[in-house]
Amino acid sequence: MSDRLTGPAWLTRTRRTTCGAWPVIALLMLSCAAHRAQAQGGAPPAADNAGAPAIVSVPTPGERPRIGLVLSGGGARGAAHIGVLKVLEELRVPVDCIAGTSMGSIVGGSYASGQSIEKMERDVALIKTDTLTQDEPSRRDVATRLKERDRLNLIGPQFGWSADGLTLPKGVVSGVALEAVLRDLALAHGETDFDQLPIPFRAIATDVVTGQMVVLGQGDLAVAMRASMSVPGAVAPVQLGDELLVDGGLTRNLPVDVARSLCADVVIAVNLGTSLLKRDQISSGISVAAQMLNILTEQNVQASLAQLGPQDVLILPELGSFSAADFDGMPSTIPIGEAAARKVAEQLSRYSLPPAQYAAHRERQLRPIVADTGVIDEIRIVGLNRVNEEVVVQSMQTQAGQPLDVPVLDADMRRIYGRGDFEHVSYRLIDGPGPRTLAVQALEKSWGPDYVRFGLSLATDFSGDNAFNVLASYWRTWLNRLGGEWRTDLQLGENSFLLSEFYQPLVPSQYVFVAPRVQAFRRPADIYSGDSLVARYMVSGGVVGLDLGSQFTKYGELRVGLEFGSARADLQIGDPVLSIFDIRRDIGAVRTRLFFDQLDSVDFPRDGYRLDLQVDSSSTRLGASDSYNRWIGDAVTVVSSGANTFQFAAAGGGTIGGQALPLYDYLTFGGFLRMTGYKPGQLRNDSLAYGRFVYTNQLVNLNFLDGVYAGVSLEAARLGQPLVPGGITGSVASVGLFLAVDTPLGPAYLGYGRAQDGNSSAYFFLGRP
């Protein structure tokens, strides 16, 4: 094999072999690379495997030396590279080519494409951790069916399910949001020869299959930059042809040899260093593995540093313990990069150009920012095997025959990704001969189309009444071209149920659907007289149903359907006289449900609204035990200002048409934010009118999680006839206080409520109320 790092300008990417195939984890591959580097005397070769020397272009007499800038990886620490660039411009040091790895490829690629330092500084100040990690669209833009799934107490990742067992996604973050940021940073869009950029450029990545270094020299610049910084396990790999690419720091974090081969007579290398964990930070197997990666990465950097000669300049920003993951604090590293470059200003000044010559040099490299508003002639969806192309196209606001609007197109990518069918979504513009084509590359989930998720919830009232539930949810997607889906949820614990539904759209737009379902349940029902628990029943039963419905895309849905079944309530504890309430009922009803959901979060909403209204028309002609009409509904609207959030809610229920509700279908209320001063199920009445005001303040903002909140609730209700004599009726009011925190296991709440009649209740629960 003879792969040179040099070659013709059309060379897409070249490869350097490491020792063997990619192991299961990056640690072994890094160990392999470090062992090879040590065996070669500590320096990565500047030649191919056959031992031929790298070809370095030598300037003719009278020419100035060509300068190659090498920017290392380092995550959020990489913003220090911008400070270095500022000093290079101040000292009038020309840059003739750039090679970068990971964050170095992002800063280097942006600068090479003609971006100004001023614009890069502004963009970096706008980048936040949430910006880079939020691949999903706003929850308000997600399909209604997926919003309904939000209300389950699911935790942890989504697993794929197949005959081979459970499989996991390739990364925590898909990179859809990251790619949108990179497209704004890179002024070159579409297929580009990186030698034809204002400054020739190379991005370094690693082929995760073969363990080889890959030098990216052509293609979509934003995609190349993302591939170079796709940290294994954190950001999903980038698939280019047959190659699966991850962070280039695994094989060459400081690509000195690549810059030499590209153009450099002189190398200016900026090494951000590898931030090693402190002794007290190494407290788990994960932290030990992270430290090993840091150590091995530093070893390949040391091998690259050994290639620097006396004519080269090494810049070492003193970043200390600044975290590679602190993207919110990136602007603070720019002055650190400036200071490091000024420390070696004397060495850099050897390569300064006269003012007029440097001004002409930079004028050729800077590229004006011109918005691409060319008309899209056609749209193609590439890479689909299961998903119907028409469904994807109808998810987009971008349409053929309209001018390109990049922010709208980036939102389209998030919306398509938010359907849940793809592990990555990207696009490229094809401006060659013929119509201008927008090619949307939708990579279907390799761990799909069948998925499993698990969940749990637990609760206590601190007086001996505890509850625990575990949940498994299994769904099969794209059972046919219209997007048929079969979902089954099984929960075991205090509140056990099995729900299985086949959801079948009838048109590609999925506006109309039919949904047969079956459900079984078993749950306790507590009966109170005043504040005394007098009986506990176990309610069990089963229902089969068939719904016809319409989805209003992201807004909501309307369902009308028939359901049949039976239920019974068996006395578990309590005075035997209450056995007269043991019941068995037959179910035969028409169920109508109207549902809207435009909340921005299911757990800690800060904006939006939600409405849920249901009417059950029970009829003896359908086999029911009784004929009556029962309605129940709730609505909530939320507004925020800064850290303060204000929530207004209303709920109600009762009978329609004059028939009295049978005892077994009285309304049940009580519990956290359902008259917080009363215990769950303490209020059982034939009618209800309820209102609530909640104020919350975000005490702490957590990366990747919603944060920590403190809140107070004011609630009031008008209750109808109680289920049993002595039950609470009439007008009641309650006040509640709570602390809430978002955790990896779901939201956790600690609360206390007190009602005006002296009833009080304390709560701790993990999961959704």
Side-chain angles (χ1 to χ4, degrees), residues 630-634 650-655 661 666-670 674-675 683-691 716-721 728 730 732:
R630 176 180 182 265
W631 75 274
I632 187 168
D634 65 79
T655 184
L661 292 181
Y666 269 39
L667 305 172
T668 303
F669 223 63
R674 292 170 58 86
M675 294 302 295
L683 308 176
R684 293 182 183 272
N685 304 78
D686 67 352
S687 64
L688 165 75
Y690 167 80
R718 177 74 180 176
L719 305 173
Q721 180 69 30
I728 298 170
V732 292

PDB file of all heavy atoms in Angstrom, residues 630-634 650-655 661 666-670 674-675 683-691 716-721 728 730 732:
ATOM      1  N   ARG A 630     -70.398  11.205  30.235  1.00  0.00           N
ATOM      2  CA  ARG A 630     -69.444  11.749  31.200  1.00  0.00           C
ATOM      3  C   ARG A 630     -68.365  12.542  30.450  1.00  0.00           C
ATOM      4  O   ARG A 630     -67.838  12.087  29.435  1.00  0.00           O
ATOM      5  CB  ARG A 630     -68.780  10.611  31.975  1.00  0.00           C
ATOM      6  CG  ARG A 630     -67.688  11.004  32.962  1.00  0.00           C
ATOM      7  CD  ARG A 630     -67.173   9.724  33.606  1.00  0.00           C
ATOM      8  NE  ARG A 630     -66.162   9.946  34.612  1.00  0.00           N
ATOM      9  CZ  ARG A 630     -64.843   9.893  34.414  1.00  0.00           C
ATOM     10  NH1 ARG A 630     -64.390   9.656  33.183  1.00  0.00           N
ATOM     11  NH2 ARG A 630     -64.006  10.071  35.403  1.00  0.00           N
ATOM     12  N   TRP A 631     -68.076  13.743  30.947  1.00  0.00           N
ATOM     13  CA  TRP A 631     -67.003  14.522  30.338  1.00  0.00           C
ATOM     14  C   TRP A 631     -65.937  14.839  31.376  1.00  0.00           C
ATOM     15  O   TRP A 631     -66.221  14.945  32.569  1.00  0.00           O
ATOM     16  CB  TRP A 631     -67.538  15.821  29.723  1.00  0.00           C
ATOM     17  CG  TRP A 631     -67.893  16.894  30.736  1.00  0.00           C
ATOM     18  CD1 TRP A 631     -69.068  17.045  31.407  1.00  0.00           C
ATOM     19  CD2 TRP A 631     -67.033  17.963  31.176  1.00  0.00           C
ATOM     20  NE1 TRP A 631     -69.028  18.124  32.243  1.00  0.00           N
ATOM     21  CE2 TRP A 631     -67.788  18.711  32.129  1.00  0.00           C
ATOM     22  CE3 TRP A 631     -65.737  18.352  30.886  1.00  0.00           C
ATOM     23  CZ2 TRP A 631     -67.272  19.838  32.770  1.00  0.00           C
ATOM     24  CZ3 TRP A 631     -65.209  19.465  31.520  1.00  0.00           C
ATOM     25  CH2 TRP A 631     -65.968  20.193  32.448  1.00  0.00           C
ATOM     26  N   ILE A 632     -64.723  14.981  30.908  1.00  0.00           N
ATOM     27  CA  ILE A 632     -63.611  15.374  31.770  1.00  0.00           C
ATOM     28  C   ILE A 632     -62.596  16.089  30.896  1.00  0.00           C
ATOM     29  O   ILE A 632     -62.385  15.715  29.726  1.00  0.00           O
ATOM     30  CB  ILE A 632     -62.986  14.169  32.495  1.00  0.00           C
ATOM     31  CG1 ILE A 632     -61.940  14.644  33.511  1.00  0.00           C
ATOM     32  CG2 ILE A 632     -62.373  13.177  31.507  1.00  0.00           C
ATOM     33  CD1 ILE A 632     -61.490  13.562  34.472  1.00  0.00           C
ATOM     34  N   GLY A 633     -61.989  17.139  31.437  1.00  0.00           N
ATOM     35  CA  GLY A 633     -61.029  17.890  30.635  1.00  0.00           C
ATOM     36  C   GLY A 633     -60.094  18.704  31.499  1.00  0.00           C
ATOM     37  O   GLY A 633     -60.346  18.933  32.687  1.00  0.00           O
ATOM     38  N   ASP A 634     -58.999  19.109  30.906  1.00  0.00           N
ATOM     39  CA  ASP A 634     -58.071  20.021  31.592  1.00  0.00           C
ATOM     40  C   ASP A 634     -57.366  20.875  30.554  1.00  0.00           C
ATOM     41  O   ASP A 634     -57.218  20.475  29.389  1.00  0.00           O
ATOM     42  CB  ASP A 634     -57.061  19.257  32.456  1.00  0.00           C
ATOM     43  CG  ASP A 634     -56.128  18.387  31.652  1.00  0.00           C
ATOM     44  OD1 ASP A 634     -55.163  18.925  31.075  1.00  0.00           O
ATOM     45  OD2 ASP A 634     -56.354  17.159  31.598  1.00  0.00           O
ATOM     46  N   ALA A 650     -56.850  24.901  34.416  1.00  0.00           N
ATOM     47  CA  ALA A 650     -58.230  24.641  34.795  1.00  0.00           C
ATOM     48  C   ALA A 650     -58.555  23.200  34.457  1.00  0.00           C
ATOM     49  O   ALA A 650     -57.981  22.610  33.527  1.00  0.00           O
ATOM     50  CB  ALA A 650     -59.185  25.584  34.067  1.00  0.00           C
ATOM     51  N   ALA A 651     -59.461  22.608  35.218  1.00  0.00           N
ATOM     52  CA  ALA A 651     -59.903  21.235  34.966  1.00  0.00           C
ATOM     53  C   ALA A 651     -61.348  21.106  35.425  1.00  0.00           C
ATOM     54  O   ALA A 651     -61.838  21.909  36.232  1.00  0.00           O
ATOM     55  CB  ALA A 651     -59.011  20.222  35.692  1.00  0.00           C
ATOM     56  N   GLY A 652     -62.010  20.114  34.892  1.00  0.00           N
ATOM     57  CA  GLY A 652     -63.397  19.906  35.293  1.00  0.00           C
ATOM     58  C   GLY A 652     -63.942  18.609  34.766  1.00  0.00           C
ATOM     59  O   GLY A 652     -63.274  17.884  34.011  1.00  0.00           O
ATOM     60  N   GLY A 653     -65.161  18.308  35.177  1.00  0.00           N
ATOM     61  CA  GLY A 653     -65.818  17.098  34.715  1.00  0.00           C
ATOM     62  C   GLY A 653     -67.195  16.963  35.327  1.00  0.00           C
ATOM     63  O   GLY A 653     -67.540  17.660  36.278  1.00  0.00           O
ATOM     64  N   GLY A 654     -67.971  16.067  34.746  1.00  0.00           N
ATOM     65  CA  GLY A 654     -69.309  15.822  35.260  1.00  0.00           C
ATOM     66  C   GLY A 654     -70.147  15.078  34.241  1.00  0.00           C
ATOM     67  O   GLY A 654     -69.624  14.442  33.317  1.00  0.00           O
ATOM     68  N   THR A 655     -71.435  15.201  34.389  1.00  0.00           N
ATOM     69  CA  THR A 655     -72.357  14.500  33.500  1.00  0.00           C
ATOM     70  C   THR A 655     -72.920  15.453  32.459  1.00  0.00           C
ATOM     71  O   THR A 655     -72.969  16.667  32.663  1.00  0.00           O
ATOM     72  CB  THR A 655     -73.512  13.869  34.312  1.00  0.00           C
ATOM     73  OG1 THR A 655     -74.340  13.105  33.438  1.00  0.00           O
ATOM     74  CG2 THR A 655     -74.333  14.944  35.002  1.00  0.00           C
ATOM     75  N   LEU A 661     -74.202  10.097  37.150  1.00  0.00           N
ATOM     76  CA  LEU A 661     -73.061   9.201  36.965  1.00  0.00           C
ATOM     77  C   LEU A 661     -73.186   8.020  37.914  1.00  0.00           C
ATOM     78  O   LEU A 661     -73.522   8.190  39.095  1.00  0.00           O
ATOM     79  CB  LEU A 661     -71.745   9.935  37.255  1.00  0.00           C
ATOM     80  CG  LEU A 661     -71.304  11.046  36.303  1.00  0.00           C
ATOM     81  CD1 LEU A 661     -69.964  11.609  36.766  1.00  0.00           C
ATOM     82  CD2 LEU A 661     -71.192  10.532  34.882  1.00  0.00           C
ATOM     83  N   TYR A 666     -67.420   8.036  39.176  1.00  0.00           N
ATOM     84  CA  TYR A 666     -67.239   9.362  39.767  1.00  0.00           C
ATOM     85  C   TYR A 666     -65.839   9.874  39.434  1.00  0.00           C
ATOM     86  O   TYR A 666     -64.909   9.115  39.175  1.00  0.00           O
ATOM     87  CB  TYR A 666     -67.430   9.281  41.279  1.00  0.00           C
ATOM     88  CG  TYR A 666     -68.855   9.523  41.740  1.00  0.00           C
ATOM     89  CD1 TYR A 666     -69.931   9.020  41.016  1.00  0.00           C
ATOM     90  CD2 TYR A 666     -69.131  10.244  42.898  1.00  0.00           C
ATOM     91  CE1 TYR A 666     -71.231   9.229  41.434  1.00  0.00           C
ATOM     92  CE2 TYR A 666     -70.438  10.467  43.327  1.00  0.00           C
ATOM     93  CZ  TYR A 666     -71.484   9.955  42.580  1.00  0.00           C
ATOM     94  OH  TYR A 666     -72.781  10.169  42.979  1.00  0.00           O
ATOM     95  N   LEU A 667     -65.708  11.198  39.458  1.00  0.00           N
ATOM     96  CA  LEU A 667     -64.424  11.824  39.161  1.00  0.00           C
ATOM     97  C   LEU A 667     -63.483  11.676  40.354  1.00  0.00           C
ATOM     98  O   LEU A 667     -63.898  11.805  41.504  1.00  0.00           O
ATOM     99  CB  LEU A 667     -64.617  13.302  38.846  1.00  0.00           C
ATOM    100  CG  LEU A 667     -65.627  13.599  37.724  1.00  0.00           C
ATOM    101  CD1 LEU A 667     -65.892  15.094  37.640  1.00  0.00           C
ATOM    102  CD2 LEU A 667     -65.114  13.082  36.406  1.00  0.00           C
ATOM    103  N   THR A 668     -62.220  11.435  40.075  1.00  0.00           N
ATOM    104  CA  THR A 668     -61.208  11.241  41.110  1.00  0.00           C
ATOM    105  C   THR A 668     -60.184  12.360  41.030  1.00  0.00           C
ATOM    106  O   THR A 668     -59.661  12.664  39.953  1.00  0.00           O
ATOM    107  CB  THR A 668     -60.510   9.885  40.933  1.00  0.00           C
ATOM    108  OG1 THR A 668     -61.485   8.850  40.966  1.00  0.00           O
ATOM    109  CG2 THR A 668     -59.493   9.653  42.036  1.00  0.00           C
ATOM    110  N   PHE A 669     -59.895  12.974  42.196  1.00  0.00           N
ATOM    111  CA  PHE A 669     -58.960  14.083  42.218  1.00  0.00           C
ATOM    112  C   PHE A 669     -58.160  14.026  43.513  1.00  0.00           C
ATOM    113  O   PHE A 669     -58.383  13.178  44.382  1.00  0.00           O
ATOM    114  CB  PHE A 669     -59.722  15.419  42.103  1.00  0.00           C
ATOM    115  CG  PHE A 669     -59.076  16.409  41.174  1.00  0.00           C
ATOM    116  CD1 PHE A 669     -58.952  16.130  39.826  1.00  0.00           C
ATOM    117  CD2 PHE A 669     -58.589  17.622  41.647  1.00  0.00           C
ATOM    118  CE1 PHE A 669     -58.370  17.045  38.957  1.00  0.00           C
ATOM    119  CE2 PHE A 669     -58.007  18.548  40.794  1.00  0.00           C
ATOM    120  CZ  PHE A 669     -57.888  18.259  39.443  1.00  0.00           C
ATOM    121  N   GLY A 670     -57.202  14.956  43.643  1.00  0.00           N
ATOM    122  CA  GLY A 670     -56.328  14.987  44.803  1.00  0.00           C
ATOM    123  C   GLY A 670     -54.915  14.586  44.429  1.00  0.00           C
ATOM    124  O   GLY A 670     -54.697  13.808  43.506  1.00  0.00           O
ATOM    125  N   ARG A 674     -53.064  18.713  41.972  1.00  0.00           N
ATOM    126  CA  ARG A 674     -54.457  18.316  41.720  1.00  0.00           C
ATOM    127  C   ARG A 674     -55.239  18.479  43.032  1.00  0.00           C
ATOM    128  O   ARG A 674     -55.899  17.577  43.479  1.00  0.00           O
ATOM    129  CB  ARG A 674     -54.526  16.873  41.229  1.00  0.00           C
ATOM    130  CG  ARG A 674     -53.933  16.668  39.840  1.00  0.00           C
ATOM    131  CD  ARG A 674     -53.818  15.198  39.516  1.00  0.00           C
ATOM    132  NE  ARG A 674     -55.091  14.491  39.570  1.00  0.00           N
ATOM    133  CZ  ARG A 674     -55.966  14.415  38.561  1.00  0.00           C
ATOM    134  NH1 ARG A 674     -55.691  15.030  37.408  1.00  0.00           N
ATOM    135  NH2 ARG A 674     -57.087  13.741  38.691  1.00  0.00           N
ATOM    136  N   MET A 675     -55.099  19.641  43.664  1.00  0.00           N
ATOM    137  CA  MET A 675     -55.451  19.954  45.040  1.00  0.00           C
ATOM    138  C   MET A 675     -54.396  19.331  45.950  1.00  0.00           C
ATOM    139  O   MET A 675     -54.570  18.286  46.571  1.00  0.00           O
ATOM    140  CB  MET A 675     -56.857  19.485  45.399  1.00  0.00           C
ATOM    141  CG  MET A 675     -57.940  20.230  44.638  1.00  0.00           C
ATOM    142  SD  MET A 675     -57.921  22.047  44.870  1.00  0.00           S
ATOM    143  CE  MET A 675     -58.312  22.201  46.600  1.00  0.00           C
ATOM    144  N   LEU A 683     -60.418  12.889  46.863  1.00  0.00           N
ATOM    145  CA  LEU A 683     -61.622  13.578  46.398  1.00  0.00           C
ATOM    146  C   LEU A 683     -62.290  12.732  45.319  1.00  0.00           C
ATOM    147  O   LEU A 683     -61.723  12.512  44.260  1.00  0.00           O
ATOM    148  CB  LEU A 683     -61.268  14.963  45.855  1.00  0.00           C
ATOM    149  CG  LEU A 683     -60.427  15.860  46.780  1.00  0.00           C
ATOM    150  CD1 LEU A 683     -60.068  17.157  46.075  1.00  0.00           C
ATOM    151  CD2 LEU A 683     -61.156  16.121  48.091  1.00  0.00           C
ATOM    152  N   ARG A 684     -63.512  12.236  45.610  1.00  0.00           N
ATOM    153  CA  ARG A 684     -64.296  11.453  44.639  1.00  0.00           C
ATOM    154  C   ARG A 684     -65.702  12.016  44.629  1.00  0.00           C
ATOM    155  O   ARG A 684     -66.463  11.849  45.594  1.00  0.00           O
ATOM    156  CB  ARG A 684     -64.300   9.966  44.993  1.00  0.00           C
ATOM    157  CG  ARG A 684     -62.924   9.324  44.844  1.00  0.00           C
ATOM    158  CD  ARG A 684     -62.938   7.834  45.150  1.00  0.00           C
ATOM    159  NE  ARG A 684     -61.592   7.268  45.061  1.00  0.00           N
ATOM    160  CZ  ARG A 684     -61.048   6.793  43.965  1.00  0.00           C
ATOM    161  NH1 ARG A 684     -61.756   6.773  42.842  1.00  0.00           N
ATOM    162  NH2 ARG A 684     -59.815   6.310  43.973  1.00  0.00           N
ATOM    163  N   ASN A 685     -66.059  12.683  43.506  1.00  0.00           N
ATOM    164  CA  ASN A 685     -67.322  13.412  43.435  1.00  0.00           C
ATOM    165  C   ASN A 685     -67.929  13.256  42.050  1.00  0.00           C
ATOM    166  O   ASN A 685     -67.251  12.872  41.096  1.00  0.00           O
ATOM    167  CB  ASN A 685     -67.090  14.885  43.736  1.00  0.00           C
ATOM    168  CG  ASN A 685     -66.414  15.119  45.084  1.00  0.00           C
ATOM    169  OD1 ASN A 685     -65.203  14.945  45.212  1.00  0.00           O
ATOM    170  ND2 ASN A 685     -67.196  15.485  46.088  1.00  0.00           N
ATOM    171  N   ASP A 686     -69.212  13.587  41.932  1.00  0.00           N
ATOM    172  CA  ASP A 686     -69.877  13.431  40.639  1.00  0.00           C
ATOM    173  C   ASP A 686     -69.689  14.630  39.729  1.00  0.00           C
ATOM    174  O   ASP A 686     -70.086  14.589  38.563  1.00  0.00           O
ATOM    175  CB  ASP A 686     -71.369  13.123  40.829  1.00  0.00           C
ATOM    176  CG  ASP A 686     -72.146  14.285  41.435  1.00  0.00           C
ATOM    177  OD1 ASP A 686     -71.498  15.280  41.858  1.00  0.00           O
ATOM    178  OD2 ASP A 686     -73.386  14.211  41.491  1.00  0.00           O
ATOM    179  N   SER A 687     -69.082  15.710  40.236  1.00  0.00           N
ATOM    180  CA  SER A 687     -68.751  16.857  39.384  1.00  0.00           C
ATOM    181  C   SER A 687     -67.576  17.598  40.003  1.00  0.00           C
ATOM    182  O   SER A 687     -67.311  17.505  41.206  1.00  0.00           O
ATOM    183  CB  SER A 687     -69.952  17.800  39.214  1.00  0.00           C
ATOM    184  OG  SER A 687     -70.314  18.377  40.462  1.00  0.00           O
ATOM    185  N   LEU A 688     -66.885  18.372  39.161  1.00  0.00           N
ATOM    186  CA  LEU A 688     -65.676  19.052  39.597  1.00  0.00           C
ATOM    187  C   LEU A 688     -65.456  20.283  38.731  1.00  0.00           C
ATOM    188  O   LEU A 688     -65.603  20.228  37.503  1.00  0.00           O
ATOM    189  CB  LEU A 688     -64.465  18.115  39.474  1.00  0.00           C
ATOM    190  CG  LEU A 688     -63.077  18.751  39.557  1.00  0.00           C
ATOM    191  CD1 LEU A 688     -62.753  19.137  40.999  1.00  0.00           C
ATOM    192  CD2 LEU A 688     -62.006  17.814  39.016  1.00  0.00           C
ATOM    193  N   ALA A 689     -65.100  21.405  39.374  1.00  0.00           N
ATOM    194  CA  ALA A 689     -64.579  22.589  38.672  1.00  0.00           C
ATOM    195  C   ALA A 689     -63.340  23.026  39.434  1.00  0.00           C
ATOM    196  O   ALA A 689     -63.397  23.228  40.657  1.00  0.00           O
ATOM    197  CB  ALA A 689     -65.615  23.700  38.631  1.00  0.00           C
ATOM    198  N   TYR A 690     -62.221  23.183  38.742  1.00  0.00           N
ATOM    199  CA  TYR A 690     -60.927  23.351  39.414  1.00  0.00           C
ATOM    200  C   TYR A 690     -60.099  24.409  38.701  1.00  0.00           C
ATOM    201  O   TYR A 690     -60.111  24.499  37.463  1.00  0.00           O
ATOM    202  CB  TYR A 690     -60.196  22.007  39.405  1.00  0.00           C
ATOM    203  CG  TYR A 690     -58.717  22.053  39.768  1.00  0.00           C
ATOM    204  CD1 TYR A 690     -58.304  22.115  41.085  1.00  0.00           C
ATOM    205  CD2 TYR A 690     -57.745  22.012  38.777  1.00  0.00           C
ATOM    206  CE1 TYR A 690     -56.951  22.138  41.422  1.00  0.00           C
ATOM    207  CE2 TYR A 690     -56.384  22.035  39.093  1.00  0.00           C
ATOM    208  CZ  TYR A 690     -55.998  22.094  40.423  1.00  0.00           C
ATOM    209  OH  TYR A 690     -54.661  22.112  40.741  1.00  0.00           O
ATOM    210  N   GLY A 691     -59.349  25.208  39.478  1.00  0.00           N
ATOM    211  CA  GLY A 691     -58.426  26.184  38.918  1.00  0.00           C
ATOM    212  C   GLY A 691     -57.116  26.179  39.685  1.00  0.00           C
ATOM    213  O   GLY A 691     -57.082  25.883  40.893  1.00  0.00           O
ATOM    214  N   ALA A 716     -57.933  25.954  43.854  1.00  0.00           N
ATOM    215  CA  ALA A 716     -59.294  25.999  44.373  1.00  0.00           C
ATOM    216  C   ALA A 716     -60.180  25.094  43.535  1.00  0.00           C
ATOM    217  O   ALA A 716     -59.934  24.905  42.334  1.00  0.00           O
ATOM    218  CB  ALA A 716     -59.837  27.425  44.363  1.00  0.00           C
ATOM    219  N   ALA A 717     -61.210  24.529  44.170  1.00  0.00           N
ATOM    220  CA  ALA A 717     -62.118  23.628  43.451  1.00  0.00           C
ATOM    221  C   ALA A 717     -63.518  23.724  44.023  1.00  0.00           C
ATOM    222  O   ALA A 717     -63.722  24.064  45.200  1.00  0.00           O
ATOM    223  CB  ALA A 717     -61.617  22.187  43.539  1.00  0.00           C
ATOM    224  N   ARG A 718     -64.486  23.421  43.166  1.00  0.00           N
ATOM    225  CA  ARG A 718     -65.889  23.280  43.571  1.00  0.00           C
ATOM    226  C   ARG A 718     -66.275  21.840  43.322  1.00  0.00           C
ATOM    227  O   ARG A 718     -66.245  21.368  42.172  1.00  0.00           O
ATOM    228  CB  ARG A 718     -66.768  24.226  42.764  1.00  0.00           C
ATOM    229  CG  ARG A 718     -68.255  24.104  43.063  1.00  0.00           C
ATOM    230  CD  ARG A 718     -68.600  24.707  44.397  1.00  0.00           C
ATOM    231  NE  ARG A 718     -70.043  24.594  44.681  1.00  0.00           N
ATOM    232  CZ  ARG A 718     -70.609  24.969  45.821  1.00  0.00           C
ATOM    233  NH1 ARG A 718     -69.850  25.480  46.784  1.00  0.00           N
ATOM    234  NH2 ARG A 718     -71.898  24.853  45.993  1.00  0.00           N
ATOM    235  N   LEU A 719     -66.603  21.099  44.374  1.00  0.00           N
ATOM    236  CA  LEU A 719     -66.851  19.661  44.303  1.00  0.00           C
ATOM    237  C   LEU A 719     -68.336  19.369  44.423  1.00  0.00           C
ATOM    238  O   LEU A 719     -69.047  19.984  45.242  1.00  0.00           O
ATOM    239  CB  LEU A 719     -66.096  18.935  45.420  1.00  0.00           C
ATOM    240  CG  LEU A 719     -64.579  19.186  45.479  1.00  0.00           C
ATOM    241  CD1 LEU A 719     -63.989  18.554  46.730  1.00  0.00           C
ATOM    242  CD2 LEU A 719     -63.908  18.630  44.235  1.00  0.00           C
ATOM    243  N   GLY A 720     -68.831  18.400  43.649  1.00  0.00           N
ATOM    244  CA  GLY A 720     -70.220  17.984  43.698  1.00  0.00           C
ATOM    245  C   GLY A 720     -70.467  16.935  44.765  1.00  0.00           C
ATOM    246  O   GLY A 720     -69.759  16.850  45.771  1.00  0.00           O
ATOM    247  N   GLN A 721     -71.475  16.091  44.515  1.00  0.00           N
ATOM    248  CA  GLN A 721     -71.868  15.065  45.467  1.00  0.00           C
ATOM    249  C   GLN A 721     -70.716  14.101  45.702  1.00  0.00           C
ATOM    250  O   GLN A 721     -70.155  13.556  44.761  1.00  0.00           O
ATOM    251  CB  GLN A 721     -73.087  14.306  44.929  1.00  0.00           C
ATOM    252  CG  GLN A 721     -73.603  13.208  45.821  1.00  0.00           C
ATOM    253  CD  GLN A 721     -74.229  13.749  47.099  1.00  0.00           C
ATOM    254  OE1 GLN A 721     -74.774  14.867  47.091  1.00  0.00           O
ATOM    255  NE2 GLN A 721     -74.137  12.996  48.190  1.00  0.00           N
ATOM    256  N   ILE A 728     -65.626  14.812  51.107  1.00  0.00           N
ATOM    257  CA  ILE A 728     -65.431  16.257  50.996  1.00  0.00           C
ATOM    258  C   ILE A 728     -66.236  16.789  49.826  1.00  0.00           C
ATOM    259  O   ILE A 728     -66.214  16.227  48.722  1.00  0.00           O
ATOM    260  CB  ILE A 728     -63.937  16.571  50.841  1.00  0.00           C
ATOM    261  CG1 ILE A 728     -63.175  16.110  52.085  1.00  0.00           C
ATOM    262  CG2 ILE A 728     -63.710  18.058  50.601  1.00  0.00           C
ATOM    263  CD1 ILE A 728     -61.679  16.161  51.944  1.00  0.00           C
ATOM    264  N   GLY A 730     -68.363  20.701  48.200  1.00  0.00           N
ATOM    265  CA  GLY A 730     -68.425  22.151  48.259  1.00  0.00           C
ATOM    266  C   GLY A 730     -67.133  22.796  47.787  1.00  0.00           C
ATOM    267  O   GLY A 730     -66.362  22.226  47.022  1.00  0.00           O
ATOM    268  N   VAL A 732     -63.401  24.204  48.115  1.00  0.00           N
ATOM    269  CA  VAL A 732     -62.174  23.898  48.866  1.00  0.00           C
ATOM    270  C   VAL A 732     -61.017  24.655  48.214  1.00  0.00           C
ATOM    271  O   VAL A 732     -61.071  25.020  47.038  1.00  0.00           O
ATOM    272  CB  VAL A 732     -61.875  22.382  48.880  1.00  0.00           C
ATOM    273  CG1 VAL A 732     -62.914  21.632  49.703  1.00  0.00           C
ATOM    274  CG2 VAL A 732     -61.798  21.835  47.462  1.00  0.00           C
TER     275      VAL A 732
END
